[in-house]
Amino acid sequence: MAPVQTLDNKFVENGFQKQMKSPAKPATYSDVVENYDGQYRFAPIQEAQVSRAMIKRYFETMYDRVISDVVIVGAGSAGLTCAYHLAFTRPDLKITIIEANVAPGGGAWLGGQLMTPMVIRKPANRFLEEIGVPYEDEGSYVVVKHAALFTSTLLSRVLAMPNVVMMNATAVEDLIIHEDNAGQQRVAGVVTNWTLVALNHDTQSCMDPNTITCPVVVSATGHDGPMGAFSAKRLVSAGLLKELGNMRGLDMNRSEPAIVNNTREVAPGLIMAGMELSEHDGKNRMGPTFGGMIGSGIKAAHEALRVLDSVNVVEGKVVSSI
């Protein structure tokens, strides 16, 4: 028996009367009240809407960035500076940042020994002026009143760029290494997993990773640690580097120019920046001064563009040299 609709918005089916549901009305501006005297009212929302809003965008981003133009591993001061300069210079490039921690920024939220001011040697202060971070000029160096002011400003500017995405709480577990058209071993992307999964491979059964294909990887994972110097160490175990140089003792005057000037493509398809390079090359550490990180990030962006301009890329893979 077909349903019979009645005038009072009910229908009868098989002898049972049921109330028809009216379509949900969309929230209107009148539903929203910004009143701080006890009458504050949000627009109505369903829990499923929150989940779908996140899931849709996150997995659309993952789907899109499975092929990227540049992947930056590590969102510390060097990696973020590289991302900013690269994205600003080439807004056509898909730049994907992978950060193992929940909070991006690496060690750049504080200065030395958990103190808040950040010291940056000239000429790296020019980058502060570019992104709009105020500082006190002390002659040969400048001081930002709180390292978090620099890091939060840089982070917000990077993430506001439409060609940049960041996947934090995501670890790089391995490098993709292919033989290229010239018969060379080439870094051709990264192998990723959520960090909490990567840290628990010994406690669970097989939890396979995912991949991102790209012609250029910039690795800026910092000096040795739980996730630090990852790519440098992987180059050794993959047979692309004989041994680590291992970071030398602190010497600011030697370290900062060495890190900036030696930022380069250390293996085909892999550019290394920041303190990870000190582990790769055996250079001095610099301690709580950040000009070298800024300079190295900018140099890494220049190197990435040089590599991209020297190859032909199809679907994220290098198919020939130019």
Side-chain angles (χ1 to χ4, degrees):
M1 170 176 162
V4 177
Q5 188 167 344
T6 63
L7 293 177
D8 60 353
N9 204 33
K10 297 177 181 178
F11 67 87
V12 177
E13 181 179 17
N14 296 329
F16 292 96
Q17 192 177 57
K18 298 181 181 179
Q19 181 72 39
M20 292 181 68
K21 292 183 179 179
S22 300
K25 291 189 298 184
T28 63
Y29 190 75
S30 61
D31 295 314
V32 180
V33 178
E34 185 177 7
N35 178 301
Y36 297 97
D37 294 320
Q39 300 298 319
Y40 196 103
R41 190 161 68 235
F42 287 98
I45 196 169
Q46 299 297 320
E47 286 78 6
Q49 290 177 288
V50 177
S51 295
R52 282 176 169 165
M54 293 186 296
I55 292 167
K56 179 177 185 291
R57 288 162 178 80
Y58 189 87
F59 285 101
E60 281 180 350
T61 297
M62 285 189 72
Y63 184 89
D64 178 61
R65 293 309 176 101
V66 162
I67 297 176
S68 297
D69 294 309
V70 179
V71 168
I72 298 172
V73 187
S77 47
L80 288 174
T81 302
C82 176
Y84 176 87
H85 190 81
L86 198 54
F88 182 81
T89 306
R90 288 284 302 275
D92 58 304
L93 297 178
K94 289 183 177 181
I95 300 161
T96 302
I97 307 170
I98 306 296
E99 167 56 47
N101 287 305
V102 171
W109 291 110
L110 292 164
Q113 199 168 317
L114 304 185
M115 292 181 280
T116 55
M118 173 180 270
V119 176
I120 294 174
R121 293 165 68 190
K122 293 180 178 178
N125 63 303
R126 294 172 184 168
F127 183 69
L128 300 180
E129 294 165 7
E130 183 177 347
I131 64 174
V133 174
Y135 58 76
E136 297 176 55
D137 195 323
E138 296 287 352
S140 61
Y141 63 93
V142 303
V143 182
V144 179
K145 69 177 183 179
H146 199 302
L149 175 60
F150 165 77
T151 304
S152 60
T153 301
L154 177 57
L155 187 60
S156 65
R157 288 188 174 273
V158 167
L159 292 180
M161 291 177 165
N163 58 328
V164 177
V165 301
M166 177 185 292
M167 298 175 186
N168 47 320
T170 304
V172 170
E173 291 191 335
D174 204 350
L175 301 172
I176 300 173
I177 301 175
H178 289 167
E179 187 175 288
D180 68 11
N181 60 293
Q184 277 188 312
Q185 295 297 301
R186 182 181 188 90
V187 174
V190 294
V191 179
T192 62
N193 217 327
W194 285 312
T195 302
L196 291 176
V197 173
L199 293 173
N200 282 280
H201 282 307
D202 293 335
T203 65
Q204 300 290 326
S205 59
C206 182
M207 297 181 288
D208 280 334
N210 209 336
T211 64
I212 300 175
T213 298
C214 62
V216 179
V217 174
V218 176
S219 192
T221 67
H223 53 68
D224 196 12
M227 299 285 183
F230 173 80
S231 296
K233 290 184 283 191
R234 188 66 184 98
L235 287 179
V236 175
S237 59
L240 298 182
L241 179 66
K242 184 178 179 182
E243 60 184 4
L244 283 181
N246 295 317
M247 186 169 63
R248 304 296 195 261
L250 191 149
D251 185 331
M252 292 179 181
N253 288 310
R254 278 193 287 178
S255 176
E256 290 199 283
I259 294 303
V260 177
N261 292 327
N262 288 297
T263 295
R264 65 193 187 282
E265 189 180 23
V266 297
L270 179 66
I271 294 163
M272 199 166 286
M275 293 311 295
E276 183 171 9
L277 192 63
S278 67
E279 298 283 6
H280 182 280
D281 288 357
K283 300 298 183 182
N284 298 86
R285 68 186 301 162
M286 65 190 63
T289 175
F290 289 82
M293 298 293 94
I294 291 171
S296 181
I298 294 172
K299 176 76 181 300
H302 285 291
E303 289 294 297
L305 293 176
R306 180 191 61 77
V307 173
L308 287 172
D309 289 342
S310 69
V311 293
N312 290 311
V313 179
V314 177
E315 291 292 298
K317 294 184 178 182
V318 173
V319 295
S320 65
S321 299
I322 295 176

